[in-house]
Every structure is written in C-alpha cells, then in structure tokens.
Amino acid sequence: KGFAVAPVHRPPARRDSTRLDAATITRREGSAYAKPRAFCALCLSTPRRRLSSALCRLGMSSRCRLLATLTCAAIGASAESVPTIDASCVGCPLRSLADYEVESKDGVLEITLVVGVARLVTPNTTFLTRVYNGSFGGPRLSLQTGDYVNLTLINTLLDVDNTGTFNTPRTLNSTNLHVHGLHVSGMPPGDSILVDVPPGGGSYKYQYFIPEDHLPGHHWYHPHHHGATAVQNSGGMYGSIEINDPEFTQPGEIEALPIEYLEILNMPFKGGFDLESTQAQYNKDLLHTKPPFNDREHLLVNGGSYPTITIEKNQWYRFRIGYFSTYHNLWSVIKDAQAWMPGSSGACEWRLMAHDGNYLDQRPRKFGLLPLTQASREEIVLRCTEVGSFSWESIKFGATDIYG
C-alpha cells in the first residue's frame, strides 16, 4: 500500500542487485510454520542471496514445503500442527517472491501441489483457510515455450463435503486445477475443469504441453471446481505462471530491470459474496474468524497486510501484478502523486507493458488509473522522482473515497 522513496547515490548496480531480498527469517513462536519476512534498509542494494537451505528448515522452499504440508495440512490434524501464516504486521516491507519460483529443467517441469489448510493471522482476526503447499500463494511455475509439465494435485482436505444443488456453493472440499491464460489442451489429462479431485487424499496428475509458438507472459493457476471455485480461490488458493520465450526480448533499458511480482488477493467478508457465511452453511471450522471480522474485506499483497515497497528516487522498477481474486474490481492510483490527478505533485509515474499476459505492441505506454479486474494480470514499470511516502490504493471509479 505504501511507498518509501529515499535519495540514494551509488554506482550503477548489476541486474540482480536491486531486488529487495529477505535479510532475516523469523519464525512465529510455537508455530509449525512462518513466512519469511523481508527486511531491508532504505534502498537495500546487495547481490541477490539464495535462502533455499534456510527456507527448507522452515518448510518454506517451494521444493521442500511439500514435506511439511503432507504431514500436517489436513484439517483433521490437530490445531497445533496446522501451518500458521503471519500477516499481522501492517506496513511491513513487501515480501519478495523470488524464492517461490520452480523452473523447468531439460524441457520438463515436475511439481506437486498439495491442497491443505493453514491458519491465517491478520491484524484483526485469525481463521483457517485452504491453501497450496502450506503457503499463501503456491509456487510460481517458470516455463519455457516447448516445455512439458507434469503436475500432481493432492487433496488432503477433510473428507466432509456437502452436495448442494447445481449453481450453488457445494462440494467445497472437492477441487481441481485450471491454468488460467495458457493456450493448452482442455482435454484430460490437460486443462479440463471437469476433473474432480475428492477430499481425503484424492489426487490427479495433470499433463500440459506449452506450444513452441506460445506467447510469453504472466498467467496463473487456481481451482475451478464448479460450486467451490470462489470459496477456494478467494480463500487463498492461487499461484503464478510465467511463460518465457528465449527469442522474445524487451528494449534494452526494460530488459535490464529486475522483475518483482505482486500477488494480490481480496478476501470478501461482508456484502455480496461472503466467505465466512458461505462456508458456515457446511463446515464452520474453516473461514470462521476469531475474533469476528467486521470489515468488508481483507486485502493481502504477497501474503502481507498493506506492505511497504521501498524504491530509489529516479529509478525505474518493473512489476508483474496479479489480481488473483474472484471478488470486486480495484481501481488503483498512487494517491496525490500522479500528474494526471488534480492537485497532484506528479512525483510518481507508471507505464503499461502488458495486460493479461499479452505484451503491448508499443510499450511502455503512459496511462492513468490502473484497473485491477477479477483474474487480471498487469505488467508495469514505475518510478518516483521525489523523496517521500506515497499511498498506492484503490478508489471507487469516478469517486475519491477509499474502496479497498
């Protein structure tokens, strides 16, 4: 939600030296799991560090989170064994997703996603929700054109399901997977939304082929089981996919910019679609807030509550943004800091590179309001030319009051 811009003068950095990486890892007292929290001095500039071994010890690395999840993620496990995701800090530094990447090797990507339960701790409440591999946001799948993907989906949710009627919330613990935006086969074992992976240990092995002529871009995966999609996705089941093409390059000044991912989830709790009341009709163990949560929604960015992004004055940054939500749209601005806004200082500007995984023919392109619509992906470059703190927030379209 916030930007802190500091005047820092240093020699030109290497491409991999400007990412804000985790400098320390904390573990929540008494919990089985804790997110790494990214701490940095203003405009931290150190070579990128790989924290795989440390993350493994916390059950966090995309390659080893699975082991911890398999043993304790089922809702039938004791409360102490359920992973805890700490999103209680408001305004903490944005958590980098650099270590959530899983890359294909020799033209093949092998990955297992385990659907389980985690305890989410927010600034105002705590509740259990469904996630992939014990994490808010599953591993990011990094693929090349021409790759094959072997993805095993395992459903460890408790085998307690409701039947319901068609086009109503039903079978909330049954699931499947949809690779949103990919041009792949929709027939089993490919991207079929008719696959049923039942709770209690059900599994399915998806197989995808990424065509040689697939366009590069940012896509995502999420459940698409009819009757359960919105509850599962809005509750925390989502992940990024990036398609790379070695023959596709950006202009040199853009190619040199490191990429930061922003994964945004809007969890609705009041008005219209309501996660808690919808779930409570069938199984009150999940999405039951303690103490009761009375706000309309809770917004998470990279699994954190209203984080702060620290950037350097006059330097461009490149962001791939996924609005991985099935709830309302966000109309976002950098408040009082963009030249097109009346009375603005004009301290910050952004330009559009791509929309929904498709690069613009002419890019980067100037624009004003940044709409984040359901399931959308945007790629932008951004800079601020003045030192200060700025608020990146959403407003109602055509109004000035804060919307989310």
Side-chain angles (χ1 to χ4, degrees):
K1 184 178 179 179
F3 284 100
V5 182
V8 173
H9 304 284
R10 57 177 176 78
R14 294 179 301 176
R15 177 178 177 182
D16 66 347
S17 66
T18 55
R19 185 182 296 276
L20 304 182
D21 279 325
T24 61
I25 300 176
T26 61
R27 189 169 185 175
R28 185 174 173 84
E29 184 69 25
S31 72
Y33 168 91
K35 288 282 190 181
R37 186 175 296 167
F39 293 94
C40 63
L42 287 181
C43 308
L44 175 68
S45 177
T46 56
R48 181 173 173 179
R49 293 177 295 275
R50 302 301 295 177
L51 301 174
S52 297
S53 60
L55 294 175
C56 269
R57 290 195 292 272
L58 291 178
M60 272 299 304
S61 171
S62 57
R63 294 174 175 80
C64 58
R65 280 179 297 177
L66 172 60
L67 297 177
T69 305
L70 282 173
T71 61
C72 65
I75 184 61
S78 66
E80 289 73 19
S81 66
V82 173
T84 295
I85 300 172
D86 188 358
S88 60
C89 178
V90 174
C92 279
L94 177 76
R95 183 169 58 87
S96 173
L97 301 182
D99 286 285
Y100 278 56
E101 182 180 58
V102 179
E103 298 180 271
S104 61
K105 183 178 181 181
D106 298 327
V108 179
L109 187 144
E110 301 275 354
I111 182 72
T112 297
L113 295 179
V114 179
V115 180
V117 170
R119 180 187 296 104
L120 180 65
V121 180
T122 76
N124 302 311
T125 190
T126 299
F127 54 92
L128 297 173
T129 190
R130 302 172 180 87
V131 295
Y132 291 121
N133 292 12
S135 169
F136 232 79
R140 184 174 73 256
L141 311 184
S142 180
L143 300 167
Q144 304 288 331
T145 54
D147 277 351
Y148 290 87
V149 181
N150 297 318
L151 188 153
T152 301
L153 182 66
I154 302 175
N155 186 355
T156 69
L157 295 172
L158 191 64
D159 192 7
V160 175
D161 230 343
N162 64 296
T163 54
T165 58
F166 201 68
N167 288 336
T168 65
R170 63 190 182 96
T171 58
L172 299 184
N173 275 2
S174 295
T175 194
N176 59 17
L177 196 74
H178 171 50
V179 285
H180 192 123
L182 297 194
H183 293 265
V184 296
S185 172
M187 300 298 293
D191 189 33
S192 172
I193 63 171
L194 301 180
V195 168
D196 178 22
V197 184
S203 66
Y204 188 81
K205 188 168 184 176
Y206 289 90
Q207 296 178 316
Y208 314 107
F209 172 68
I210 311 301
E212 296 281 357
D213 59 354
H214 199 296
L215 292 175
H218 181 202
H219 307 287
W220 67 301
Y221 58 86
H222 61 84
H224 209 307
H225 195 276
H226 193 65
T229 302
V231 169
Q232 293 179 4
N233 176 208
S234 293
M237 292 172 62
Y238 61 90
S240 285
I241 303 172
E242 60 180 34
I243 303 295
N244 302 289
D245 182 350
E247 297 182 2
F248 178 84
T249 58
Q250 302 285 359
E253 63 275 15
I254 300 297
E255 193 73 21
L257 298 176
I259 300 172
E260 190 73 62
Y261 282 81
L262 301 180
E263 296 183 349
I264 303 173
L265 184 70
N266 200 359
M267 307 181 77
F269 283 95
K270 293 291 182 293
F273 174 61
D274 179 342
L275 279 174
E276 186 167 14
S277 64
T278 301
Q279 177 66 52
Q281 301 175 54
Y282 312 106
N283 179 359
K284 293 185 179 180
D285 290 330
L286 290 169
L287 299 170
H288 178 54
T289 60
K290 299 178 183 179
F293 186 64
N294 296 316
D295 291 345
R296 182 169 57 178
E297 73 259 334
H298 187 69
L299 193 71
L300 293 167
V301 182
N302 291 6
S305 300
Y306 310 107
T308 297
I309 303 172
T310 301
I311 63 177
E312 296 180 13
K313 177 182 176 182
N314 292 325
Q315 180 170 319
W316 286 101
Y317 290 79
R318 186 176 172 188
F319 292 97
R320 285 180 178 166
I321 307 167
Y323 185 58
F324 298 153
S325 299
T326 54
Y327 194 42
H328 66 55
N329 304 325
L330 302 182
W331 310 94
S332 70
V333 300
I334 302 177
K335 189 177 181 181
D336 300 328
Q338 293 174 284
W340 60 271
M341 302 177 71
S344 167
S345 66
C348 300
E349 62 177 317
W350 51 25
R351 298 182 184 182
L352 187 64
M353 293 284 296
H355 171 68
D356 282 349
N358 298 293
Y359 283 99
L360 306 181
D361 289 336
Q362 296 183 350
R363 59 188 185 275
R365 187 181 75 192
K366 291 184 178 181
F367 69 102
L369 193 76
L370 176 61
L372 299 175
T373 56
Q374 298 172 30
S376 67
R377 289 89 62 212
E378 312 293 341
E379 183 169 329
I380 66 170
V381 291
L382 177 151
R383 72 172 176 180
C384 293
T385 57
E386 296 180 11
V387 175
S389 295
F390 309 97
S391 180
W392 184 351
E393 61 188 44
S394 55
I395 60 173
K396 285 184 179 179
F397 187 69
T400 56
D401 54 320
I402 295 177
Y403 195 40

